[in-house]
Amino acid sequence: GVPEVLDEDGVVGGGDVEDLRASGRVDPQAKAIRSVEVRLSRSGEELHGKVNEVRADRGTVAARGVALEGSGIGALGGSLAVANQEITGTLAGKNIDLERLSRLFGLNKRTRGVADIDIALTPTNRGRKGHVNVQVKNATVAPMAGIEFPGTFASVNATFDNERTSLEASLRIEGHAKPGED
């Protein structure tokens, strides 16, 4: 949600989460915020970390030196930019607990699994080059209410080469019905 309060120390709080706090040094001449520290909590989950710099200029928003982690949630790090509706940069994370992350952001309560994320995209004159790889293990897929498939493994690998994109995806369900279930 949108933060509701900026106190005298420059700490942000309020919004849809139980607690959101952010602080940093504003550099209006450079159109940047540096040394950002952030803490977000909800439903007993917490994510905290640092961003070296957030810069907005001429339709581009960039976050450099992102390092976020939460106890039991996992950790993410990298640098990302959004310009001309294209996302570029790097982001890597290992053992991201999707259920706990969903609880933190108030998303689908049926989301479960552990994800590894590897994103590396660089801008080019004709688009972007790089890859997006996401692996999810020990997930539960719930295609409709009352039907769940535990023990699911999913893999999505996308490669970008300017205008060409290739995508490989796989889904493997290893869960079994409990005795007496169909």
Side-chain angles (χ1 to χ4, degrees):
V2 177
E4 298 171 349
V5 178
L6 180 64
D7 70 14
E8 65 276 358
D9 297 323
V11 174
V12 178
D16 291 340
V17 294
E18 290 172 7
D19 191 24
L20 168 63
R21 297 184 183 270
S23 63
R25 291 188 347 260
V26 177
D27 183 346
Q29 191 171 11
K31 298 178 184 174
I33 303 173
R34 296 195 172 99
S35 302
V36 177
E37 293 191 27
V38 65
R39 184 172 67 85
L40 170 68
S41 64
R42 179 186 202 158
S43 302
E45 303 297 345
E46 181 176 297
L47 190 65
H48 61 274
K50 296 181 178 182
V51 180
N52 291 341
E53 179 181 75
V54 178
R55 181 181 297 264
D57 190 27
R58 299 180 191 164
T60 300
V61 177
R64 187 177 55 78
V66 176
L68 300 172
E69 66 179 306
S71 179
I73 294 177
L76 286 167
S79 296
L80 295 173
V82 179
N84 301 321
Q85 299 179 346
E86 293 280 342
I87 297 175
T88 57
T90 61
L91 185 65
K94 286 274 191 200
N95 296 316
I96 307 297
D97 187 319
L98 299 176
E99 181 176 14
R100 295 181 81 170
L101 193 63
S102 292
R103 193 166 36 241
L104 177 67
F105 288 105
L107 303 174
N108 185 338
K109 294 182 183 193
R110 294 184 295 184
T111 302
R112 294 184 200 111
V114 177
D116 292 339
I117 300 166
D118 175 25
I119 300 172
L121 298 168
T122 57
T124 67
N125 290 338
R126 298 185 333 236
R128 59 188 162 182
K129 285 190 173 193
H131 65 267
V132 173
N133 299 327
V134 178
Q135 314 294 319
V136 180
K137 56 192 172 211
N138 300 323
T140 297
V141 174
M144 62 182 67
I147 298 177
E148 291 186 345
F149 299 107
T152 301
F153 296 80
S155 173
V156 176
N157 299 306
T159 303
F160 299 86
D161 187 3
N162 294 312
E163 298 91 12
R164 291 185 312 188
T165 302
S166 65
L167 178 67
E168 293 180 20
S170 66
L171 179 67
R172 186 175 80 231
I173 299 173
E174 293 184 352
H176 301 283
K178 294 176 186 167
E181 291 183 338
D182 290 333

